[in-house]
Amino acid sequence: MDRLGGQLGRLCDVVGVDPAAPVELLSGILGEHGSRPLSAPPAWPSGVADDHTPVEFSLAYNETEPPALRILAEVLAPVPGVAENMAATYEFLHRHARRYGLSTTRLDKVRDLFTVDRPQGGFGIWISLVFRAGRRPEFKVYLNPEVAGVENAPELVETALLRLGLDSAYGSMLSRTIRPGELGRLDRLTFFALDLHEGPQARVKLYLSHHDAGPDDVARAAAVVDGVDPAEVADFCSRSGRTARFDGRPLVGSYTIVEGSDHPAGYSIYVPIRDYVDDDQGARGRVLPLLGRYRFDPAVLDRAIAAVSDRRLTGGVGLLAHVSLRLGPPRPGMTVYLSSEAYRVTPPRTLSVPA
Ligand code: TRP
């Protein structure tokens, strides 16, 4: 907790957010594991970050307001396990519902679908918290569509969307998004995400991971969303990844689905930049020009990096974990994901790709 709390407090300073609520929420997420020494192995092999830290930070730039600070986290049960962590997450949300004005109406409609006797995959539910200056934190949940087995994921998602009254575009969208025959193989349903607030802006986001894909594949996936320029998505992947095949960690795309429309309203692409650079210096060197392209202030990123780490950027890889581009409402922009590296720094290496 000391390391994560320190990082979070300093990140709050960078974006002008009062650290009191964020730090308290972080402590609730870690539960009694917050007092574990970092020299002990992780209490649970969380997939949130490469070194199993159950928390990942991100800095979300957008066009209309100052950057927001976010955390992605897995709530850990006292004795962690997939089902146990799920139960602890629901309890955590329940505990904070009133104070933060959370609405679980939509989550309650689908929750049972994701609650199975023998959960598969490494997680059942993750959460994210978004902190913006002067506002209450916003909460989101990420459910695992493959929790009842990879082969059952498409139907599970379809049922969940139906229950939320959002089914109409799903089937045709999916068939145009994935590569033929690859659903459940190279193209995987990764997260089914819900905003925990009411209102016309409340979203469902469906995430697909495209293993061994190229910028052209995600351009095709993005093309199903009106108003999104597929070439822009492909270009973002090429500039951040500098490879024709993302054969390390996969490219991930997400579709934003809002009520009252049978077409997705937005698309985001997430590039796991850490697998395509030698070190974090290289990652920063690619992210800064992208920020410049979208007219975002690079100095904020450098302050955020300094808030989480004082190591040399050439001394490891993965501090900058992902970089993403959000297209369409509610807030187009770019997000840079920052690892805590609480347990481990991945050593730098030399890839046979251009710097
Ligand atoms: N660590 C996981 C991964 O890299 C999950 C994850 C964390 C993730 N942050 C993310 C996935 C941002 C996509 C985008 O896949």
Side-chain angles (χ1 to χ4, degrees):
M1 177 68 199
D2 291 351
R3 177 179 174 94
L4 286 163
Q7 291 170 322
L8 183 59
R10 291 186 296 274
L11 284 167
C12 285
D13 288 346
V14 171
V15 296
V17 166
D18 179 349
V23 169
E24 194 204 311
L25 286 162
L26 174 68
S27 140
I29 286 166
L30 300 174
E32 59 189 59
H33 305 294
S35 54
R36 258 174 100 83
L38 285 174
S39 52
W44 170 250
S46 180
V48 164
D50 296 352
D51 70 345
H52 304 316
T53 308
V55 170
E56 180 185 66
F57 304 109
S58 55
L59 182 67
Y61 287 93
N62 61 85
E63 288 165 11
T64 50
E65 52 183 50
L69 171 64
R70 308 197 312 195
I71 62 182
L72 171 69
E74 180 164 18
V75 177
L76 302 184
V79 179
V82 175
E84 291 80 358
N85 295 349
M86 285 183 91
T89 306
Y90 290 124
E91 207 176 286
F92 173 85
L93 294 173
H94 184 70
R95 217 164 46 234
H96 294 94
R98 174 135 10 123
R99 171 146 177 220
Y100 294 109
L102 309 185
S103 162
T104 58
T105 317
R106 293 171 324 132
L107 177 58
D108 294 339
K109 283 187 186 155
V110 300
R111 181 175 154 173
D112 64 296
L113 296 171
F114 296 87
T115 309
V116 295
D117 283 343
R118 279 175 218 278
Q120 299 185 36
F123 79 103
I125 188 170
W126 290 346
I127 61 170
S128 77
L129 309 176
V130 187
F131 305 107
R132 302 176 206 279
R135 292 215 238 134
R136 279 207 294 208
E138 292 152 43
F139 289 56
K140 191 160 114 175
V141 292
Y142 300 74
L143 293 153
N144 179 1
E146 296 185 344
V147 75
V150 176
E151 64 289 356
N152 296 317
E155 201 190 318
L156 196 162
V157 167
E158 183 171 17
T159 309
L161 288 172
L162 260 169
R163 287 200 191 166
L164 298 170
L166 294 167
D167 65 305
S168 50
Y170 170 68
S172 72
M173 182 185 92
L174 209 54
S175 64
R176 286 185 290 152
T177 293
I178 53 157
R179 290 161 286 181
E182 292 297 351
L183 187 58
R185 298 149 72 98
L186 288 178
D187 293 321
R188 305 282 287 267
L189 288 158
T190 310
F191 306 112
F192 183 88
L194 291 170
D195 285 343
L196 297 185
H197 56 80
E198 289 297 350
Q201 291 229 314
R203 299 162 302 168
V204 174
K205 278 175 91 178
L206 187 59
Y207 291 73
L208 279 157
S209 297
H210 305 287
H211 292 263
D212 212 16
D216 48 328
D217 295 309
V218 287
R220 192 162 12 82
V224 307
V225 185
D226 292 340
V228 166
D229 176 6
E232 184 179 359
V233 173
D235 187 59
F236 185 83
C237 295
S238 304
R239 286 175 193 270
S240 51
R242 296 205 191 145
T243 179
R245 278 291 110 204
F246 288 75
D247 53 7
R249 285 187 180 77
L251 292 170
V252 180
S254 76
Y255 296 90
T256 304
I257 306 167
V258 284
E259 253 164 84
S261 162
D262 56 3
H263 291 292
Y267 185 80
S268 301
I269 182 77
Y270 307 80
V271 179
I273 189 166
R274 64 197 184 285
D275 272 9
Y276 302 94
V277 291
D278 288 344
D279 57 32
D280 286 298
Q281 175 99 321
R284 175 181 174 275
R286 293 186 196 175
V287 171
L288 291 186
L290 281 166
L291 288 174
R293 242 176 120 73
Y294 288 96
R295 301 188 195 293
F296 293 128
D297 181 2
V300 184
L301 176 62
D302 279 332
R303 271 184 263 137
I305 290 173
V308 293
S309 185
D310 56 10
R311 71 161 169 82
R312 282 178 303 114
L313 291 180
T314 50
V317 64
L319 180 62
L320 277 71
H322 284 89
V323 54
S324 80
L325 179 67
R326 300 188 306 279
L327 299 166
R331 288 186 186 82
M334 257 180 78
T335 303
V336 185
Y337 295 76
L338 298 168
S339 306
S340 165
E341 299 185 329
Y343 288 113
R344 200 177 108 90
V345 175
T346 305
R349 71 245 155 159
T350 306
L351 299 175
S352 50
V353 297

